[in-house]
Amino acid sequence: MKEKTMKPRFVEIMDCTLRDGEQTSGVSFLPHEKLVIARMLLRDLNVDRIEVASARVSEGEKEAVKMICRYAQQNGMAERVEVLGFVDNNLSIDWISECGGKVINLLAKGSERHCFRQLHKTVGEHIEDIRQTVHYAAAKGMTVNVYLEDWSNGMKDSPEYVYAMLDALTKMDIRRFMLPDTLGILNPLQVVEYMRKMQKRYPGVHFDFHAHNDYDLAVSNSLAAVLSGCKGLHVTVNGLGERCGNAPLSSVQVILKDQFHAKTNIHEDKLNAISRLVEGYSGIAIAPNQPVIGENVFTQVAGVHADGDNKGGLYTNQLVPERFGRKREYALGKNSGKANIAKNLKELGLELTPEQTKKVTKRITELGDRKEIVTQDDLPFIVSDVLKHDAPEDKVKLINYVVSTAYGLKPGANVRVEINGKQYEAGATGDGQYDAFVKALRFIYRKYLGRTFPLLANYAVTIPPGGRTDALVQTVITWNDDGRLLRTRGLDADQTEAAIKATFKMLNIIEERVSS
């Protein structure tokens, strides 16, 4: 007798980055930034719905919503764009309609104390106001979803109020009922209990769950909601949101797929791209160890892990980097071990004997003990030094340079370099000393060599703690060389000099590739 296989449950994903995520302290997206994020969410990542704003906030918000709705309408996605609105004598509905919006997420009160203390109304009066608003929205041709704000406290303290609301609202023309843990107070067991009560009392009704992360349980609570029959989840990119944030899109997606075997429409290979875009626009950095999207999550440090990967992927799980458009890296430092270093050598095309590898491993361990950062790009130079070979002569050399800055004038730079034995000179101004320096180099490469200069993808400066003015500065620059990312580091007491060192490391690496 064949076992019955259960059909994977489909879970609808709504991204709230442009509304709830923008409530993160210090985050405010410009209208064109909102459009770029919305376009990537809908077109590339393929989330089912996006909530893009709150009605009647500002003229800038209105402009952003108009731009997003126009784009969505032109691409057959109008029903996937939603705006938070209020029970406010139809002002929100008119505002959304003027923007071209087709869906309102109506904010209603999901707990007795919110209804009584904030609105000063009885449940009957609140229901009647909602009824009038829903009727007006329907007359405008608008789809209505309803948030039951503070639903979690409502189920804890006043469940009869919640049921009275739902008994009435489920008879209205409302597509989805969205159940927020507004203050992030629930744990997974409570989510299971309350969600099952909702499912049992209102079978067939579409419920969404909206988690907040005050107890670091937003992801766990989201999974508990799905396990209890919830049909939709609300997330934000990078977990942005008020206070401790919302459930992160990337974490929710992988847990749904790998732990619960649920289906979504998300294109996982775009998760990293949308995370980096939102990181740049929001100014909120992603923690290096943030699951799925953190810079270090696919970097093996311990040598035993690299050895295990060589012997049948012993230290890998379902979260393989290629799934998210990334690749596994093997860090170099005091914990590297021979296997880790061998992985990096192989990727660079360097072949060493076991004895030579042992010597290189020892040197990298020594550097790690001194807390020096070792990169894959440093490896050929370490190999040359350790094996007593002459270091390959730089093909790109800085002969001399002058950078200047003066009050009221743009910073300038004059640069003379030698490339493959021939010297070139150029000058430029820029928004800073280093910017002027790079513009001069870019001019040389374009005019004299007819080549493009790599684009700067990221620039980070770190200074050792202690606050000394003479502290060494480490500059880490990520370059985009025709789609290939290259990261180089420079160390110096002067920040501009450290950046210049990192720049010439990059130019010599590229020149080696060109000549080979």
Side-chain angles (χ1 to χ4, degrees), residues 108-127:
K109 299 302 180 182
S111 69
E112 189 173 65
R113 66 175 189 168
H114 267 231
C115 183
F116 291 177
R117 295 183 187 179
Q118 197 167 32
L119 299 183
H120 305 293
K121 293 194 175 186
T122 66
V123 62
E125 290 170 334
H126 188 34
I127 288 170

Side-chain angles (χ1 to χ4, degrees), residues 36 58 106 114 201 217 237 363-364 394 403 431 489:
V36 172
S58 67
L106 189 64
H114 267 231
R201 188 175 178 107
L217 290 170
V237 177
R363 175 58 60 86
I364 290 173
D394 287 346
V403 291
D431 293 327
R489 289 168 166 81

Side-chain angles (χ1 to χ4, degrees), residues 296-320:
N296 295 342
V297 296
F298 297 117
T299 299
Q300 299 280 37
V301 175
V304 65
H305 292 169
D307 181 61
D309 287 348
N310 283 334
K311 297 172 180 175
L314 300 180
Y315 290 92
T316 58
N317 55 24
Q318 287 179 279
L319 299 173
V320 293

Side-chain angles (χ1 to χ4, degrees), residues 147-203:
Y147 271 113
L148 291 175
E149 185 184 17
D150 201 38
W151 167 81
S152 47
N153 270 316
M155 291 301 290
K156 287 182 71 173
D157 303 331
S158 53
E160 293 309 315
Y161 168 87
V162 177
Y163 298 147
M165 287 284 288
L166 265 296
D167 288 347
L169 297 182
T170 50
K171 296 181 176 66
M172 300 181 197
D173 189 12
I174 297 169
R175 181 172 294 181
R176 301 176 186 89
F177 291 87
M178 306 192 290
L179 310 177
D181 182 15
T182 303
L183 299 179
I185 60 167
L186 297 181
N187 63 53
L189 294 178
Q190 292 170 314
V191 173
V192 169
E193 177 189 352
Y194 299 154
M195 192 63 70
R196 284 180 175 171
K197 285 180 178 179
M198 301 297 284
Q199 294 287 342
K200 184 177 180 180
R201 188 175 178 107
Y202 307 103

Side-chain angles (χ1 to χ4, degrees), residues 232-243:
L233 292 176
H234 296 186
V235 297
T236 61
V237 177
N238 302 342
L240 292 182
E242 202 165 21
R243 303 186 312 277

Side-chain angles (χ1 to χ4, degrees), residues 73-89:
Q73 185 69 44
Q74 291 169 350
N75 291 273
M77 302 175 179
E79 287 287 330
R80 295 167 61 185
V81 175
E82 305 176 8
V83 180
L84 180 73
F86 309 95
V87 182
D88 55 7
N89 294 316

